[in-house]
C-alpha cells in the first residue's frame, strides 16, 4: 500500500482496521466477563482515545457508564507526565469500578499520575485498558494495565484517534511514520 502524506510526513499502514476491530471485540468480551453485574465506569482520556472508547463500550455486553476527561500538564513540555489536574470529571467515582481507557501508554508517566489522582477519589477498583503499549519505552512497571489490545515498537503512529499535529485522527487504520 502506498504511503500517505499527513502534513509534512509520510505514513504507511501498520495495522489495518479489521485487525483493530477484531481485537477490540476480544478485549470487550473479556471486560464483559470480568465485570459482569458490576456496571463499570469507563473514564476515557481525550482526545486520542475517543474512537477506541466508542468502539470499546459498544463491545462490552454488561451495562456501563462513560465519562471523558482531559489531563492538563505543564505547558511547553512534551510527555513529562506531570499531570496537574483532571479536567471534566463531574461524576462521583467513590465505590465505583473504574476502567481508564487510554490510546497509548508510552513512558507510562501520564497514567501513573492519573491513577494517583483518581485513587484519591476512593473508587472500588482502578484498571487501565490501553489500545496500545510501547513496552520498550515503559518507565513505570507497576501500572494496573489489565487490558491492552496491542504491544507496538517505539515508532510514531497515528490514526484511529491518534494524531500528528492534530491531523489523522479520522483514519480507520493505524499508520506508522516512514522514516527513510
Ligand atoms: P506517556 O506519558 O505514556 O509517555 O505518554 C502517553 C501519551 O503520549 C499518549 O496518550 C499519546 O497522547 C502520546 N503518544 C505517545 N506515543 C505516541 C505516538 O506514537 N503517536 C501519537 N499520536 N501520540 C503518542
Amino acid at each position: 500500500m502506498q504511503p500517505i502524506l499527513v502534513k509534512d510526513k509520510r505514513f504507511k499502514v501498520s495495522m489495518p482496521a479489521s485487525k483493530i476491530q477484531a481485537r477490540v471485540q476480544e478485549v470487550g468480551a473479556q471486560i464483559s466477563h470480568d465485570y459482569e453485574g458490576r456496571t463499570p465506569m469507563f473514564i476515557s482520556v481525550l482526545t486520542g482515545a475517543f474512537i477506541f472508547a466508542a468502539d470499546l463500550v459498544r463491545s462490552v455486553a454488561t451495562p456501563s457508564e462513560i465519562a471523558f476527561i482531559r489531563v492538563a500538564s505543564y505547558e511547553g513540555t512534551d510527555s513529562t507526565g506531570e499531570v496537574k489536574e483532571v479536567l471534566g470529571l463531574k461524576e462521583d467515582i467513590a465505590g465505583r469500578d473504574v476502567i481508564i481507557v487510554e490510546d497509548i501508554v508510552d513512558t507510562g508517566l501520564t497514567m501513573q499520575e492519573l491513577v494517583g489522582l483518581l485513587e484519591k477519589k476512593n473508587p472500588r477498583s482502578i484498571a487501565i485498558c490501553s489500545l496500545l503499549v510501547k513496552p520498550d519505552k515503559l518507565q513505570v512497571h507497576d501500572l494496573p494495565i489489565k487490558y491492552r489490545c496491542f504491544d507496538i515498537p517505539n515508532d510514531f503512529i497515528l490514526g484511529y484517534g491518534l494524531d500528528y499535529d492534530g491531523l489523522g485522527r479520522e483514519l480507520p487504520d493505524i499508520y506508522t511514520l516512514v522514516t527513510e
Side-chain angles (χ1 to χ4, degrees):
M1 211 179 287
Q2 285 299 312
I4 58 161
L5 190 67
V6 178
K7 203 175 175 188
D8 54 353
K9 297 200 189 305
R10 294 192 310 136
F11 292 83
K12 62 176 187 333
V13 173
S14 51
M15 204 178 288
S18 55
K19 187 174 170 184
I20 303 168
Q21 294 298 333
R23 181 69 184 128
V24 171
Q25 294 303 316
E26 273 178 18
V27 171
Q30 187 64 50
I31 292 174
S32 307
H33 173 264
D34 295 349
Y35 287 82
E36 198 183 345
R38 284 160 63 187
T39 314
M41 164 78 79
F42 290 103
I43 296 185
S44 173
V45 185
L46 290 171
T47 302
F50 81 110
I51 289 180
F52 175 44
D55 285 343
L56 185 70
V57 295
R58 287 180 291 175
S59 74
V60 172
T62 189
S64 64
E65 292 179 46
I66 185 159
F68 289 90
I69 60 164
R70 284 182 186 280
V71 289
S73 25
Y74 294 103
E75 266 185 41
T77 58
D78 50 357
S79 206
T80 60
E82 292 196 72
V83 178
K84 258 203 296 202
E85 55 178 332
V86 176
L87 303 177
L89 186 65
K90 295 178 187 70
E91 291 76 3
D92 181 10
I93 64 167
R96 300 297 304 270
D97 292 300
V98 168
I99 304 175
I100 301 172
V101 182
E102 177 62 307
D103 53 358
I104 177 163
V105 177
D106 192 33
T107 61
L109 295 169
T110 308
M111 270 302 114
Q112 185 181 41
E113 291 289 326
L114 180 56
V115 169
L117 289 166
L118 293 178
E119 268 170 355
K120 289 188 191 144
K121 298 177 187 290
N122 301 315
R124 178 168 181 253
S125 66
I126 297 185
I128 296 168
C129 178
S130 189
L131 174 67
L132 303 164
V133 177
K134 290 181 177 172
D136 295 343
K137 290 278 280 292
L138 209 54
Q139 294 177 23
V140 188
H141 296 286
D142 58 351
L143 287 174
I145 308 177
K146 194 169 174 188
Y147 309 100
R148 59 172 79 186
C149 293
F150 302 100
D151 284 358
I152 59 164
N154 282 347
D155 314 308
F156 185 81
I157 54 122
L158 64 67
Y160 195 65
L162 288 115
D163 73 310
Y164 165 52
D165 223 1
L167 297 170
R169 295 192 196 276
E170 77 285 5
L171 299 166
D173 307 301
I174 288 176
Y175 291 70
T176 297
L177 178 67
V178 178
T179 44
E180 85 280 5

